[in-house]
Amino acid sequence: MTYVTLGGVTVGVCLLVWTLVQWYPGAKLRKDPLRVLARLLPFGLGWIYGVLAILTVGGIVGWIARGALWISNWLGDVALVWGVGGDPGAHASGHAFLPLTQTGTAVVLILTAAMVAAVKKSTHGPELKRGALCGVCLGTSAGVAGFAAVPLAQAVNVLGGFVYGAVA
């Protein structure tokens, strides 16, 4: 498993902050909160997929997710060193993660097909991709976003069990 560094978490948080600043509607949030919050849905779905993708053990999906995490770690570490004079490479993951079961990984493969189709067909492709990269960066962090990976993995494992008949 590739571990996220402080730089990778910083990239993930930057993506999250960028999205929230662009999304923030001001007073419109009070007038029609559901419609305004729904504009965050593509990013949120991408984030969930990114977290699940980084939890996959192997295969092409896991390889791409780990590659994206490695690049984000490197870019974030470079930005921390050259941008603000910080130290590179400190691991920012502090706990073990629940692995996906065989049926859970099958669900992630199905979600991958849906994600690829949505990115290609939807007008929300950039938000989905940004959310997925943010999820990859924050999915194994020791913070709140990293702890969200455990219930997501459990939910996908249970869903896979029901879909494939492994759970009665």
Side-chain angles (χ1 to χ4, degrees), residues 15-135:
L15 291 168
L16 178 63
V17 168
W18 174 279
T19 299
L20 292 176
V21 167
Q22 283 192 325
W23 162 82
Y24 184 69
K28 290 181 186 177
L29 185 58
R30 280 187 251 149
K31 293 179 185 174
D32 193 3
L34 289 179
R35 183 173 301 206
V36 171
L37 288 171
R39 289 183 26 217
L40 284 176
L41 190 59
F43 179 84
L45 292 174
W47 184 85
I48 289 170
Y49 174 76
V51 169
L52 292 172
I54 198 64
L55 293 178
T56 57
V57 176
I60 293 174
V61 172
W63 181 75
I64 291 171
R66 284 188 303 279
L69 181 60
W70 178 82
I71 291 168
S72 298
N73 284 340
W74 185 83
L75 289 172
D77 288 343
V78 167
L80 286 173
V81 170
W82 292 97
V84 294
D87 292 328
H91 288 294
S93 56
H95 57 281
F97 295 97
L98 181 71
L100 294 172
T101 62
Q102 282 295 101
T103 56
T105 56
V107 171
V108 172
L109 182 60
I110 294 166
L111 292 174
T112 300
M115 188 72 164
V116 169
V119 165
K120 285 183 165 248
K121 192 75 171 165
S122 173
T123 59
H124 300 289
E127 291 93 349
L128 289 166
K129 288 189 270 187
R130 191 176 327 119
L133 182 57
C134 182

